[in-house]
Amino acid sequence: MTIHEHDVVVVGAGGAGLRAAIAAEEEGADVAMVTKLHPVRSHTGAAEGGINAALRDGDDWELHAYDTMKGSDYLGDAPAIETLAQDAPEEVIQLEHWGMPFSREDDGRVSQRPFGGLSFPRTTYAGAETGHHLLHTMYEQAVKRGIRVYDEFYVSQLAVTDHDDPEDRECHGCVAYDIKSGDVVGFRARNGVVLATGGDGQVFEHTTNAVANTGDGPAMAYRAGVPVEDMEFVQFHPTTLPSTGVLISEGVRGEGGILYNSEGERFMFEGGYANNAGELASRDVVSRAELTEVNEGRGINDEYVYLDMRHLGEERINDRLENIIHLAEDFEGVNPIDEPMPVKPGQHYHMGGIETNENGETCVSGLYAAGECACASVHGSNRLGGNALPELIVFGARAGHHAAGRDLGTAEVDTGPSARTETEDGLDTPVEPGALDTPDSDVAADGALVEPVELVERAVERERARIEDMLERDGTNHAEIREDLQETMTENVNVFRREADLKKALEVIRECRERYQGVAVSDPSRTFNTDLIHTIETGNLIDIAETITLGALAREEFRGAHWRQEHQERKDGEWLKHTMISWNDGSPELYYKPVVLEGENKEYEPKVRSY
Amino acid sequence: MSQSYDRGLIEDFGRWKEFSAGMWAWIFHKFTGWVLIGYLFTHVAVLSSATVSGEVYTQTLQSLESLLVVRVLEVGLLAVAAFHILNGIRLLFVDLGIGLEAQDKAFYAAMVATGVITIASIPTFLGGI
Amino acid sequence: MSTQIKERDTETESESSEESEHQTRRLSEKRERADMKERADNDLSEHDETVRLKVFRYDPEVEGKKDPRFDTFEVPFTKGMTVLDALIYARDHFDSSLTFRHSCRQAVCGSDALFVNGRQRLGCKTQMVDLEWPVRIEPLPHADVVKDLIVDMEHFYDQMESVEPYFQTNELPSGEEQRQSRENREKVKMSTRCIWCSACMSSCNVAAGDNEYLGPAAINKAYRFAMDEREGEDMKAHRLNIIEQEHGVWRCQTQFSCTEVCPKDIPLTEHIQELKREAVKSNLKFW
Amino acid sequence: MADHYSSFEPKGTRWLLQRITAGFLVVVLAFHFMLLHFVNHAGDITFLGTQARMSQVGYFLTMVSFLIAGAFHGVNGVYNALVNQGLDGTQKTVVKWLLVAAGALLIAQGIRVATAMTGLF
Ligand SMILES: Cc1cc2nc3c(=O)[nH]c(=O)nc-3n(C[C@H](O)[C@H](O)[C@H](O)COP(=O)(O)OP(=O)(O)OC[C@H]3O[C@@H](n4cnc5c(N)ncnc54)[C@H](O)[C@@H]3O)c2cc1C
Ligand code: HEM
Ligand code: SF4
Ligand code: F3S
Ligand code: FES
């Protein structure tokens, strides 16, 4: 049995993972990145717009924090938000010092542009491919430092002790499947494991996220006892191409692009969705309008609406929106100079995730999380554009430093079930959520007594047996289950959420879970068995889908990205709290913890979020 | 266990149909270059007759020139040289970074010019038999 | 009520001549494509809207797949379908053991460079209607096949990493960014777009013959740093030494196939040639 | 990882010489072809004619430079082509010296011939 030993093991090598690894290395730790994709293939590379940081005179971190808090609809935790705003400038300058090719002003300084919800143009960018440059620049720095990368290693389990209370548990490493050779190997982390596995958009049928964004990190952490936070908050983007989910930026509407339905109506105005702003209304408003049109039979092919920019003229389109022409042609086969582009809302970003404090720590000691998979709670119920990339580097760095032993002071955000102030017991679910036969979890049964290495070995053995079993038996193909799961999520837990739909989704998720018990991998090969990988991922998607739906069902208000038909207003009196779900060894438990609005210098007052 | 499969070079050349202008230019240039250096060696060997005596030299050359094959081969040599020169010039431009966007057109132009030069010179080369 | 205001994120970068040359090239390609598409659309009405894929299969461990073979899949065609979409369909509906790398579906992760109808292309960025049918899909040439469409990328990564592909300089201002002129950023812009797909490396015959040849992508990476004014002159000299090695820039025979296949439109040959000239210039200084 | 640039030597020199000789050859080769096939018909070449041309110092020197440039350009070209195809190690060293020898021989013999052609010695 192969067990690789390192001080810090970082799972995932996107923006967050790379930053964490570099930070741990800076701190003198022996660090390794374990990632299912080669680092440069991570989805951070898809980010276009930019990265927010208060760099200039006239701007300061407090303004950034204020904007972020307001954008979060007062569901973000002030200590985390302030940390983000305070650390971002230094981190962005650091990126520049590492050579990141930011766009430049005439005086040679990095360019910044205005972005939605920001009181100052602080979105620093590198062309229309900020994420690509950020990812590559950091990978280059990892190469420079000789950081060990285990690429195409799929991490499928964490090695966590099985104390009853998750807050007593310790993480000593993880188990990974070497995709190329088919070996199951262990990673023993002497100081800590950092999860940085990115988004989970594959829960939905239609997403701007990569095929590899399957929420493995949150699912693994969740099953090992770490609570997941605010899972109901999923951001949808109104203009994505129907066949692939490729994002068409707001720029098109900004330049004057119009949306119309199958009857040729400019519905944003004619349908009364946004009489003033029209197409320029916010992401969630436009998304809902589009779906309403489609649901009421005015969609094209019952699926999408048209985004038209032909009237802007070929010249202007070529000049300002050239990359859009390429996107539409390459990925949808449509030339937007001659035809309108089909668009529909797509999942874009998950605000919720693994509960952490502002140092990236989870309640399990030795287990950290950073990036989109985590929820330190900076985005609350809605993420501002350009706020995810700074999150990656700020919290990636903090998690890496902390894991490698740097003292970052005591965190102000509480984690773990002990932070609970209220338990949800009245949630009326049509089926029992959680494992089919309790108890079940991903913690190694060890009576919490064994040596760390042995704990990792046990986890490896367990995983081997599970994989062996999936490879050998006959049964259902995961793709069918995944398809049904994505379909139900898209139909019932999408932009619109109604109680009955959410319940229906829970039933289907339950069914999926049952079918998943009999899942089998039909490719018998040990070499690059992607069938097996996707099968394991589908298992994770089921857990993630369930938490999203449970959270959505519990939260009876309309806040940020979460819209409930029965509850059309923000209820600050009752709902200024985070929705927490703990796996609880197979019988999930829903509870709440309060939002921290107390900042370093001031208390944030919930205000009506109108701009 | 993994082990990989190397498809080898042979397969590559089976793909000639899929080659693009730049690759054809490369192959032709290589081929013509080799022919030229081969010829240079032969050429010096033939001319070496001059070290024996003037008569032997004149005789060798004239008897060679009286052979049709030799004259035909000379046309070939001209074609080869013309292409190598023209494409050589194209390459020199490429080296200087000039007109890279038109490199494929330059290759086609070199081909056409080679053809024209070759045909135009046939009367001179084959004439006088 | 609106909970968010519109985001303005249009690209507003100054135009460079390089960009516009590429733009013209791409636009003219697009026009050609549009014609082809029309033809394909006409063809479609005659055919029964399924596209036939011939896919290379190989698995060192599985009986019947040890000897490479081609499998045929009939995939229902839908408008906007890419090669990657077709492969995913074939895998999810016909044979779950069909193996290929893919992730982003939007030409940024560089995982799915494939040999499609005799040319290196990104599966996700290639529309089915732009191809002749049936569509033949093979793993990238000049790389060892691990399984089906997956090739071993190690060699490519080694070459990329051998050119010291990381920013290094000793003079950093504290607390603020380094200055870089717009012109200089424009100069390196195209070279920074590489997504490590290795299509270029696969298309280059020299790289096929000489395993140690750095290859177009790695040289382009070196270019990206050598031409970045922020690194300073000493570092530039060091970088030129790296690309001047025996198996560096001099091996390039200006075949241009790398430039032709690059999905990010990076003018690779141009960059390589410029480095050759830079190297010669810097060598001449010593004489 | 490939650190094969440790054995650094500026290979740019040969690359540059290959281009410089090419530039020179364009002119001279064209001149050579014109002179010996079009101006003077190839079939009519006699030793006397050759001698008359070769005895002019300018022409003699041009032809010798032509020879040297051609030999270098050709031999170096062949060597590059082989290295591009992956020729390596001892084989490479052997081929290199073989080619150098062949080139030197060609030049030596060429100069002997040219001198003989002048008929002066
Ligand atoms: C189209 C698009 C545009 C965006 N634009 C912007 C923008 O302009 N500004 C902004 O701030 N944000 C933007 N975002 C959001 C932002 O890009 C993402 O939230 C962020 O990149 C996520 O980074 P990450 O490091 O957390 O994860 P990722 O970059 O997704 O990396 C995840 C890593 O984890 C690895 N991994 C996952 N599972 C496993 C496993 N089981 N085992 C081993 N390894 C695993 C993967 O291999 C990968 O390396 C955008 C997002 C999208 C989709
Ligand atoms: C007269 C004008 C000539 C020009 C402009 C010319 C140009 C060139 C150039 C530019 C190259 C380099 C190709 C590269 O490395 O990318 C080359 C290669 C070569 N040339 Fe010439 N050349 C000329 C004449 C000759 C002559 C007279 C000979 C023969 C003696 C010759 C033989 C070769 C050979 C063998 C190569 C190597 C081909 C290869 O790379 O495989 N060339 N030539
Ligand atoms: S240079 Fe172009 S073809 Fe080569 S790896 Fe980079 S993106 Fe791919
Ligand atoms: S294909 Fe190869 S030969 Fe040079 S121009 Fe590109 S690297
Ligand atoms: S799937 Fe990412 S480049 Fe094609």
Side-chain angles (χ1 to χ4, degrees):
Chain A
M1 180 182 305
T2 319
I3 307 283
H4 300 285
E5 285 208 38
H6 295 278
D7 292 339
V8 177
V9 171
V10 180
V11 180
L18 285 161
R19 187 64 190 92
I22 294 171
E25 202 268 351
E26 282 167 346
E27 210 53 38
D30 160 27
V31 54
M33 281 184 279
V34 188
T35 169
K36 65 179 176 181
L37 306 171
H38 182 277
V40 302
R41 319 272 176 235
S42 305
H43 206 54
T44 294
E48 297 176 3
I51 173 167
N52 297 341
L55 296 176
R56 295 282 172 262
D57 292 343
D59 195 8
D60 70 43
W61 71 263
E62 294 198 47
L63 287 173
H64 186 186
Y66 179 79
D67 292 342
T68 306
M69 180 58 94
K70 185 169 162 196
S72 80
D73 226 353
Y74 303 91
L75 203 72
D77 287 331
I81 289 179
E82 294 189 343
T83 304
L84 176 90
Q86 283 166 335
D87 289 5
E90 195 187 321
E91 285 290 336
V92 169
I93 293 297
Q94 167 105 288
L95 284 173
E96 199 283 337
H97 287 179
W98 286 340
M100 181 161 160
F102 284 108
S103 295
R104 299 283 166 164
E105 291 305 310
D106 286 333
D107 63 359
R109 306 195 68 177
V110 297
S111 302
Q112 295 196 303
R113 60 179 155 209
F115 232 46
L118 301 184
S119 55
F120 190 91
R122 70 171 73 87
T123 306
T124 323
Y125 62 97
E129 55 247 353
T130 313
H132 165 84
H133 292 311
L134 181 131
L135 180 69
H136 283 254
T137 302
M138 281 207 279
Y139 178 60
E140 288 160 8
Q141 290 300 311
V143 171
K144 182 176 183 180
R145 291 162 170 72
I147 294 174
R148 182 72 199 264
V149 182
Y150 297 87
D151 73 309
E152 302 194 325
F153 274 66
Y154 180 89
V155 175
S156 56
Q157 278 224 18
L158 298 169
V160 170
T161 58
D162 74 342
H163 296 81
D164 287 337
D165 182 351
E167 286 174 56
D168 294 334
R169 291 181 184 171
E170 290 163 21
C171 177
H172 294 297
C174 61
V175 181
Y177 178 83
D178 177 348
I179 302 177
K180 199 171 161 197
S181 73
D183 251 2
V184 179
V185 300
F187 284 88
R188 149 92 171 111
R190 286 183 286 258
N191 292 6
V193 172
V194 182
L195 290 172
T197 59
D200 49 24
Q202 289 297 320
V203 167
F204 294 88
E205 203 170 34
H206 195 70
T207 172
T208 60
N209 281 199
V211 177
N213 286 8
T214 51
D216 301 339
M220 283 187 285
Y222 175 56
R223 286 194 306 263
V226 184
V228 287
E229 181 172 349
D230 292 336
M231 293 298 276
E232 64 273 28
F233 295 106
V234 178
Q235 187 170 73
F236 293 87
H237 198 286
T239 52
T240 69
L241 297 174
S243 64
T244 48
V246 170
L247 190 100
I248 298 297
S249 86
E250 263 99 345
V252 176
R253 282 171 291 141
E255 289 294 331
I258 56 175
L259 288 164
Y260 64 85
N261 61 20
S262 64
E263 285 160 23
E265 290 163 344
R266 194 171 172 186
F267 59 86
M268 287 310 295
F269 290 105
E270 290 174 45
Y273 298 101
N275 289 326
N276 298 321
E279 280 83 7
L280 298 175
S282 75
R283 285 182 185 178
D284 50 337
V285 173
V286 180
S287 292
R288 282 192 292 272
E290 289 174 3
L291 276 187
T292 307
E293 291 301 304
V294 173
N295 292 345
E296 291 177 2
R298 293 185 298 275
I300 295 111
N301 289 339
D302 273 339
E303 194 194 350
Y304 47 82
V305 296
Y306 280 135
L307 174 60
D308 196 353
M309 60 177 192
R310 288 172 298 180
H311 57 284
L312 301 179
E314 185 163 349
E315 200 177 315
R316 176 137 168 233
I317 296 174
N318 271 328
D319 185 41
R320 308 265 181 99
L321 299 166
E322 192 215 332
N323 70 324
I324 303 293
I325 308 178
H326 300 323
L327 291 176
E329 290 219 313
D330 294 338
F331 304 110
E332 197 67 38
V334 163
N335 179 350
I337 294 178
D338 306 329
E339 313 165 64
M341 292 176 276
V343 291
K344 68 180 204 182
Q347 190 278 357
H348 185 49
Y349 182 87
H350 198 173
M351 275 73 75
I354 305 167
E355 181 202 38
T356 67
N357 60 26
E358 67 270 32
N359 294 335
E361 295 173 277
T362 69
C363 68
V364 169
S365 82
L367 184 64
Y368 298 79
E372 191 172 338
C373 70
C375 180
S377 206
V378 285
H379 308 305
S381 65
N382 203 358
R383 175 181 71 95
L384 291 180
N387 253 356
L389 295 181
E391 176 193 17
L392 306 183
I393 51 177
V394 167
F395 294 102
R398 292 179 78 85
H401 282 138
H402 197 284
R406 188 188 286 189
D407 183 9
L408 296 176
T410 320
E412 282 172 49
V413 174
D414 292 330
T415 57
S418 63
R420 156 196 303 136
T421 50
E422 198 186 325
T423 308
E424 173 69 70
D425 1 70
L427 195 65
D428 171 27
T429 57
V431 286
E432 214 35 58
L436 295 171
D437 12 66
T438 43
D440 171 50
S441 70
D442 274 9
V443 288
D446 57 5
L449 293 171
V450 306
E451 284 299 301
V453 175
E454 205 183 322
L455 181 83
V456 177
E457 282 169 359
R458 287 195 193 177
V460 170
E461 263 158 37
R462 231 156 36 112
E463 194 58 14
R464 254 189 207 162
R466 183 165 84 111
I467 287 174
E468 210 61 37
D469 189 36
M470 279 200 278
L471 283 170
E472 253 140 54
R473 67 176 176 225
D474 290 326
T476 331
N477 183 286
H478 85 94
E480 298 166 25
I481 303 174
R482 190 185 284 209
E483 222 175 288
D484 292 349
L485 183 77
Q486 291 174 335
E487 203 172 290
T488 193
M489 289 302 284
T490 306
E491 208 156 289
N492 303 312
V493 199
N494 217 30
V495 175
F496 290 124
R497 287 154 178 193
R498 296 180 191 86
E499 187 174 336
D501 293 349
L502 294 170
K503 288 184 170 165
K504 196 165 146 229
L506 282 176
E507 283 169 25
V508 177
I509 293 167
R510 190 69 180 174
E511 256 170 56
C512 289
R513 210 185 265 289
E514 277 157 17
R515 282 157 66 201
Y516 189 77
Q517 263 197 325
V519 80
V521 176
S522 58
D523 186 351
S525 179
R526 304 282 148 152
T527 306
F528 228 101
N529 194 331
T530 51
D531 194 7
L532 171 70
I533 299 301
H534 295 151
T535 304
I536 302 175
E537 288 171 348
T538 299
N540 292 334
L541 290 175
I542 296 174
D543 286 334
I544 299 296
E546 191 172 78
T547 55
I548 294 175
T549 316
L550 285 174
L553 186 62
R555 187 172 286 272
E556 301 190 326
E557 66 164 343
F558 167 25
R559 182 185 297 271
H562 174 67
W563 183 95
R564 280 288 301 268
Q565 190 190 40
E566 308 85 1
H567 309 276
Q568 288 285 330
E569 74 276 16
R570 193 175 90 184
K571 302 175 185 166
D572 288 342
E574 201 185 333
W575 283 101
L576 274 179
K577 57 190 180 189
H578 298 291
T579 330
M580 311 297 304
I581 305 176
S582 171
W583 176 244
N584 205 10
D585 292 342
S587 38
E589 193 187 342
L590 220 142
Y591 66 89
Y592 303 101
K593 73 169 184 183
V595 174
V596 185
L597 294 176
E598 187 83 48
E600 200 175 283
N601 309 320
K602 64 164 177 271
E603 162 109 22
Y604 294 84
E605 274 299 319
K607 293 207 182 79
V608 177
R609 212 165 56 108
S610 66
Y611 290 95
Chain B
M1 247 293 324
S2 76
Q3 129 201 12
S4 39
Y5 169 63
D6 178 9
R7 286 153 298 167
L9 262 180
I10 322 285
E11 213 187 331
D12 263 13
F13 290 100
R15 296 194 195 289
W16 59 271
K17 271 188 287 191
E18 289 139 7
F19 281 12
S20 55
M23 289 168 92
W24 281 119
W26 174 68
I27 288 178
F28 287 169
H29 198 78
K30 194 183 268 258
F31 171 74
T32 53
W34 285 74
V35 170
L36 287 176
I37 185 70
Y39 176 74
L40 184 59
F41 274 94
T42 341
H43 196 46
V44 170
V46 171
L47 297 184
S48 295
S49 53
T51 55
V52 185
S53 75
E55 293 74 54
V56 179
Y57 173 80
T58 310
Q59 224 212 327
T60 318
L61 284 193
Q62 297 206 334
S63 61
L64 277 174
E65 282 301 324
S66 66
L67 296 174
L68 183 63
V69 222
V70 172
R71 291 177 174 224
V72 172
L73 282 176
E74 274 180 349
V75 177
L77 180 67
L78 178 82
V80 160
F83 176 80
H84 196 88
I85 293 178
L86 292 169
N87 191 55
I89 294 171
R90 166 180 167 274
L91 289 176
L92 290 176
F93 275 108
V94 168
D95 287 330
L96 293 171
I98 302 170
L100 294 187
E101 297 285 326
Q103 59 87 15
D104 43 353
K105 286 180 209 82
F107 166 68
Y108 299 129
M111 293 292 282
V112 171
T114 304
V116 171
I117 292 175
T118 312
I119 291 168
S121 62
I122 287 179
T124 327
F125 274 68
L126 297 189
I129 305 172
Chain C
M1 328 6 35
S2 170
T3 52
Q4 282 179 343
I5 59 167
K6 63 168 176 141
E7 291 186 8
R8 266 182 288 156
D9 50 7
T10 18
E11 241 304 37
T12 45
E13 281 189 67
S14 59
E15 280 289 304
S16 73
S17 58
E18 181 178 56
E19 177 84 342
S20 49
E21 257 170 34
H22 278 270
Q23 185 171 328
T24 353
R25 174 153 72 89
R26 275 207 84 173
L27 288 175
S28 74
E29 273 172 22
K30 299 277 173 193
R31 239 162 265 130
E32 267 168 47
R33 284 223 235 146
D35 294 347
M36 272 187 60
K37 199 176 101 178
E38 215 166 284
R39 261 183 284 135
D41 282 348
N42 294 341
D43 282 357
L44 258 187
S45 44
E46 291 157 31
H47 296 277
D48 46 0
E49 311 232 323
T50 63
V51 68
R52 178 173 304 156
L53 307 180
K54 291 182 183 246
V55 185
F56 180 94
R57 305 301 301 274
Y58 165 77
D59 189 323
E61 283 184 70
V62 175
E63 271 323 310
K65 271 175 87 181
K66 284 186 180 155
D67 289 324
R69 59 161 204 249
F70 278 88
D71 279 357
T72 303
F73 299 100
E74 304 272 352
V75 174
F77 176 79
T78 48
K79 188 172 158 52
M81 181 179 247
T82 62
V83 169
L84 181 63
D85 293 334
L87 282 172
I88 291 176
Y89 189 94
R91 179 195 67 202
D92 289 350
H93 294 87
F94 304 133
D95 181 353
S96 61
S97 71
L98 180 59
T99 308
F100 46 93
R101 287 192 184 95
H102 64 298
S103 184
C104 69
R105 302 159 306 145
Q106 48 188 279
V108 298
C109 77
S111 337
D112 64 341
L114 296 166
F115 200 57
V116 182
N117 279 0
R119 192 186 158 154
Q120 287 79 1
R121 309 172 202 253
L122 285 186
C124 60
K125 197 179 170 239
T126 306
Q127 287 286 320
M128 274 303 190
V129 289
D130 294 343
L131 298 169
E132 249 174 66
W133 295 4
V135 176
R136 187 167 49 103
I137 307 172
E138 295 163 78
L140 287 181
H142 307 144
D144 288 350
V145 183
V146 176
K147 174 175 171 182
D148 292 353
L149 300 174
I150 302 227
V151 295
D152 190 344
M153 297 286 286
E154 275 325 304
H155 177 62
F156 177 76
Y157 295 150
D158 281 351
Q159 300 304 74
M160 290 301 270
E161 286 170 16
S162 72
V163 298
E164 301 186 11
Y166 33 79
F167 192 79
Q168 28 191 356
T169 179
N170 298 322
E171 302 139 38
L172 287 172
S174 74
E176 62 168 31
E177 70 265 46
Q178 307 163 80
R179 303 300 165 103
Q180 181 183 25
S181 68
R182 274 173 181 252
E183 297 70 46
N184 188 250
R185 142 111 175 131
E186 278 305 313
K187 183 161 185 66
V188 296
K189 182 170 98 190
M190 293 309 285
S191 67
T192 59
R193 293 200 170 156
C194 174
I195 55 171
W196 296 46
C197 70
S198 109
C200 53
M201 186 84 155
S202 164
S203 78
C204 176
N205 273 342
V206 179
D210 176 7
N211 222 24
E212 282 176 70
Y213 173 40
L214 288 176
I219 297 177
N220 174 68
K221 196 74 175 166
Y223 177 96
R224 178 252 170 281
F225 290 106
M227 296 299 166
D228 193 320
E229 66 187 11
R230 290 175 294 169
E231 276 199 337
E233 285 303 311
D234 291 352
M235 194 43 77
K236 180 169 179 177
H238 172 67
R239 297 220 173 258
L240 289 177
N241 280 353
I242 296 176
I243 52 97
E244 261 211 275
Q245 52 171 299
E246 165 103 55
H247 298 277
V249 284
W250 312 120
R251 293 274 73 79
C252 168
Q253 303 291 295
T254 59
Q255 283 189 10
F256 283 93
S257 45
C258 53
T259 307
E260 270 155 37
V261 300
C262 176
K264 289 289 161 186
D265 293 331
I266 302 170
L268 294 165
T269 315
E270 200 172 314
H271 290 169
I272 299 171
Q273 293 300 87
E274 193 174 339
L275 284 178
K276 287 180 188 168
R277 293 195 299 277
E278 286 288 320
V280 167
K281 263 193 258 167
S282 80
N283 287 340
L284 283 177
K285 279 188 204 151
F286 296 108
W287 297 350
Chain D
M1 208 174 285
D3 328 36
H4 29 246
Y5 50 85
S6 47
S7 66
F8 159 68
E9 52 169 311
K11 291 294 184 299
T13 322
R14 283 198 290 109
W15 179 83
L16 185 62
L17 281 176
Q18 182 78 355
R19 318 287 126 173
I20 292 174
T21 49
F24 176 66
L25 286 170
V26 178
V27 183
V28 194
L29 186 63
F31 164 73
H32 185 65
F33 254 101
M34 285 308 264
L35 191 68
L36 295 174
H37 286 280
F38 295 93
V39 179
N40 302 293
H41 213 265
D44 309 333
I45 303 271
T46 62
F47 184 71
L48 285 177
T50 306
Q51 193 179 25
R53 284 189 292 275
M54 273 297 183
S55 307
Q56 296 165 274
V57 183
Y59 186 80
F60 179 83
L61 288 180
T62 312
M63 283 303 110
V64 172
S65 329
F66 181 25
L67 172 74
I68 296 173
F72 172 82
H73 182 97
V75 167
N76 185 47
V78 165
Y79 177 66
N80 284 341
L82 293 174
V83 174
N84 288 339
Q85 285 314 307
L87 188 69
D88 213 348
T90 354
Q91 269 193 338
K92 187 167 114 180
T93 323
V94 173
V95 169
K96 178 158 123 194
W97 290 111
L98 269 177
L99 282 173
V100 169
L105 231 107
L106 181 69
I107 294 175
Q109 176 64 7
I111 293 180
R112 255 187 71 209
V113 172
T115 334
M117 283 173 175
T118 59
L120 296 177
F121 304 99

